[in-house]
Structure formats: structure tokens, C-alpha cells
Amino acid sequence: MAEYLLEAQHLRKAFEDKTVLQDVSLGVRRGEVVVIGPSGCGKSTLLRCLNGLESVDGGEILLEGQIISGQKKNLHLIRQRVGMVFQSYDLFPHMDVLGNLVLGPTRALKRPSKEVETEAMAALARVGLADSAHVLPRQLSGGQKQRVALVRAMLMHPEVLLLDEITAALDPEMVREVLDVVLELARSGMTMVIVTHEMRFAEAVADRVVFLENGLVVEESVPAQFFHQPHTQRAQQFLASFCYDSVRDGKNMQNTKEAN
């Protein structure tokens, strides 16, 4: 049995004259949650390569020890096993929520519609959207749309779920409701690779943190090590910027209270 459920070995990817991934190796064990960052380091490109949305220029991607990179013929089968959720929701605007959820499993997996509808309604109830099954996406908030997108991905029963900055387009008050769903997935044993700007969430949910910089893995450790005693200067600088934001925000809040 392969050590990793999903693995990237020495991945390289370039767009014209810009190299985005130089030599990235990353392994994810079953039931493990891995978080990668920061901005502009190639992390979204890495997720797209893992899902087959982008081809690779070098290296290999393996699923349970079998090479899946370059497998164009079976790409639809690979994407059923390696699901992905984007920050843009990508719900069909002309279909209600239930229609969006049922479409993939009935078309791609050939499952009976009644069976999928039952599972979808149960999943909507778990994420607090049981009353939204028959509304159109335009009637939902951003946080609600993203919860629907998460449910849609899970109804395909993926073995690995890739989450690409799924809270980046949300207002701050909507972020928590989405992160709660992801945290519940982690607790249930879902294997995930997460890209997020929510550092407190990353520390709470991750089994490992992989830190990319200029298309390379420069640090990899457990959350307690990474967030409190990072080895590399670049990781220290990255985390210090979030500490500065917290202090600044706290001061702004205090100034507001004093002014009132």
C-alpha cells in the first residue's frame, strides 16, 4: 500500500517565461489535512495540477501510488476521486440549489436521482441550508453559496478534497459559517489540501503545514511548530505580518470604542 493517498513528486510548471512550480514534492496521507501558503507562491497552480485542470511540465502526480498526471483519457474519473472547490462557487444560475447538487452524481456517477436527492437534503440540513433546497443561487449569500459548493463536491464522494481560498471572496461575517463546515469535514476524517488566508483556522484544522515560496517547498511541519517556532526566516516574516495586522486591527477597534 502506498504511503500517501495523493502525492506530487518534483512537480514543475511554467506559464510562458514564468516558472510557477520549480520542484515541488508533497504527500498527503488518508484522513490528513494539509494547508499550504502564502499568496503568489504557486499554491493555486499546485491544486489545479493535482486536480488535472493544469498539465505539468515535469514530475509526477500519484493517487494511491498510481501515476495520474498526463492521464487525459481517464481525467473525468480522476476528478471524481480528487474533488475541488473554488472561491467562485460556480453554481448554475438557472438551477435551484437541489438541482445543482443532484446534477453531478446523476450524470457522472449514474446514481438514481431519488437516492442523490435524499443524500443532498440530509447534507443541506447538516450545513444549515435545509430551507434553501429550492431557491436559486442569486437568492443566497456568498457564505451560503460556498456551503452549497462544498456539499456539491462531497456528494461526488471524493477521496481527496482540494479547497482553493474558498473564503477569499466572502465578507468577514460569512467566513465563519464556511470554515465551520470545513472543520466538520476534517473531524469526520476527510482528506483535504487547503489553501487559506485564515491563519487561526489553518492552525486549528491542519495536521501539517506546507509553506511554499517562489514555487518551492521551503518549510513543512506540524502546526504547533510552524505557527510558533518556524524554522525559516521567510516563514517568520510571513507570520509576523499576520501578527502586525492583528495588533493594528486591535488598535483600530480600541480607537473606535474611545471615539464613541
Side-chain angles (χ1 to χ4, degrees), residues 200 241-259:
R200 289 183 181 178
S241 69
F242 284 95
C243 292
Y244 170 77
D245 286 341
S246 298
V247 171
R248 182 186 60 192
D249 292 342
K251 287 182 177 178
N252 288 342
M253 290 177 64
Q254 183 63 35
N255 292 338
T256 301
K257 290 179 180 178
E258 292 173 356

Side-chain angles (χ1 to χ4, degrees), residues 46-149:
L46 174 59
L47 292 193
R48 292 175 66 86
C49 289
L50 292 175
N51 185 250
L53 291 170
E54 296 285 355
S55 61
V56 299
D57 298 325
E60 294 175 337
I61 300 169
L62 296 87
L63 184 62
E64 289 191 309
Q66 301 296 314
I67 296 174
I68 60 173
S69 47
Q71 301 288 325
K72 294 183 179 180
K73 183 178 179 181
N74 298 317
L75 189 56
H76 65 292
L77 298 177
I78 293 168
R79 287 178 179 162
Q80 289 173 17
R81 301 177 67 188
V82 184
M84 189 163 179
V85 181
F86 306 87
Q87 61 178 272
S88 55
Y89 325 129
D90 295 327
L91 301 176
F92 292 109
H94 64 289
M95 291 183 174
D96 64 14
V97 167
L98 189 59
N100 271 278
L101 297 179
V102 170
L103 183 64
T106 55
R107 293 283 185 87
L109 303 182
K110 309 301 182 184
R111 294 177 57 195
S113 59
K114 290 296 183 182
E115 174 186 299
V116 179
E117 287 178 9
T118 299
E119 183 180 356
M121 290 302 299
L124 286 174
R126 286 197 298 272
V127 301
L129 293 174
D131 296 334
S132 300
H134 299 294
V135 304
L136 294 173
R138 67 171 179 268
Q139 299 171 273
L140 302 177
S141 69
Q144 290 172 325
K145 291 177 185 176
Q146 197 59 282
R147 280 183 281 165
V148 171

Side-chain angles (χ1 to χ4, degrees), residues 6-221:
L6 182 65
E7 184 177 9
Q9 296 181 346
H10 306 291
L11 284 193
R12 291 185 289 107
K13 177 65 181 179
F15 296 100
E16 296 182 351
D17 59 345
K18 182 179 181 181
T19 299
V20 181
L21 301 176
Q22 295 191 50
D23 184 11
V24 173
S25 294
L26 168 71
V28 185
R29 297 176 181 88
R30 189 177 295 276
E32 189 175 42
V33 179
V34 175
V35 177
I36 58 179
S39 295
C41 65
K43 59 188 184 301
S44 292
T45 299
L46 174 59
L47 292 193
R48 292 175 66 86
C49 289
L50 292 175
N51 185 250
L53 291 170
E54 296 285 355
S55 61
V56 299
D57 298 325
E60 294 175 337
I61 300 169
L62 296 87
L63 184 62
E64 289 191 309
Q66 301 296 314
I67 296 174
I68 60 173
S69 47
Q71 301 288 325
K72 294 183 179 180
K73 183 178 179 181
N74 298 317
L75 189 56
H76 65 292
L77 298 177
I78 293 168
R79 287 178 179 162
Q80 289 173 17
R81 301 177 67 188
V82 184
M84 189 163 179
V85 181
F86 306 87
Q87 61 178 272
S88 55
Y89 325 129
D90 295 327
L91 301 176
F92 292 109
H94 64 289
M95 291 183 174
D96 64 14
V97 167
L98 189 59
N100 271 278
L101 297 179
V102 170
L103 183 64
T106 55
R107 293 283 185 87
L109 303 182
K110 309 301 182 184
R111 294 177 57 195
S113 59
K114 290 296 183 182
E115 174 186 299
V116 179
E117 287 178 9
T118 299
E119 183 180 356
M121 290 302 299
L124 286 174
R126 286 197 298 272
V127 301
L129 293 174
D131 296 334
S132 300
H134 299 294
V135 304
L136 294 173
R138 67 171 179 268
Q139 299 171 273
L140 302 177
S141 69
Q144 290 172 325
K145 291 177 185 176
Q146 197 59 282
R147 280 183 281 165
V148 171
L150 283 165
V151 170
R152 180 180 58 184
M154 293 307 301
L155 287 175
M156 295 297 291
H157 297 168
E159 296 175 52
V160 186
L161 192 57
L162 312 177
L163 306 181
D164 187 15
E165 294 288 13
I166 60 172
T167 61
L170 301 180
D171 293 333
E173 62 268 22
M174 297 178 184
V175 169
R176 185 68 210 184
E177 63 190 41
V178 174
L179 296 185
D180 282 343
V181 175
V182 179
L183 187 59
E184 184 60 34
L185 289 174
R187 288 170 176 164
S188 71
M190 185 67 207
T191 306
M192 292 185 282
V193 181
I194 303 172
V195 169
T196 180
H197 283 124
E198 304 293 333
M199 290 298 102
R200 289 183 181 178
F201 171 72
E203 185 174 5
V205 75
D207 295 299
R208 280 188 297 125
V209 177
V210 179
F211 188 78
L212 274 69
E213 177 72 8
N214 297 322
L216 293 167
V217 175
V218 297
E219 185 157 348
E220 180 177 351
S221 60

